[in-house]
Amino acid sequence: MTTAYVIVTVVGAFMAAFSAASIFFRAKWVVQPLADYGVPRAWWTPLGVAKAAGALGLIAGLWVPAFGVAAGIGLVLYFTGAVITVLRAHWASHVAFPLMYMAPVVASLVLGFAA
């Protein structure tokens, strides 16, 4: 396990946890776009739980690699769905946001497999 892997994984986990907390606390700058994209309000908490679980899984993956891989794949799928949702809502200018959260998770998976 390299230092770069640990740092990137912790950053990815922090970003996913921050994103989850932003939904849980109904930060206007997060939930307003969700409403604009047409994401049903009933989905918001489960989406936050998915991101929080992914963040915990990335951290657990530092000790149990299979957890990190599963969490990483789950988060990549989650943020891929977010990109699709943004594009379907015709808000292409917002695509960078889910990609920004996905980037350290992808890097963590790449670095984890390279080690």
Side-chain angles (χ1 to χ4, degrees):
M1 178 177 338
T2 67
T3 303
Y5 168 73
V6 172
I7 291 169
V8 168
T9 299
V10 169
V11 167
F14 174 81
M15 289 177 69
F18 175 78
S19 184
S22 298
I23 289 179
F24 294 146
F25 292 110
R26 301 297 192 249
K28 184 177 173 95
W29 54 272
V30 172
V31 296
Q32 184 60 53
L34 289 176
D36 293 343
Y37 304 151
V39 177
R41 192 175 239 273
W43 292 10
W44 296 358
T45 298
L47 291 172
V49 169
K51 287 191 271 191
L56 290 172
L58 285 177
I59 295 299
L62 295 173
W63 291 276
V64 182
F67 289 167
V69 171
I73 291 170
L75 285 169
V76 167
L77 291 172
Y78 177 95
F79 290 118
T80 299
V83 167
I84 292 166
T85 298
V86 170
L87 291 174
R88 288 188 62 172
H90 305 289
W91 285 70
S93 63
H94 290 195
V95 167
F97 297 109
L99 291 175
M100 175 183 68
Y101 285 94
M102 187 190 317
V105 177
V106 170
S108 175
L109 285 169
V110 169
L111 290 170
F113 284 119

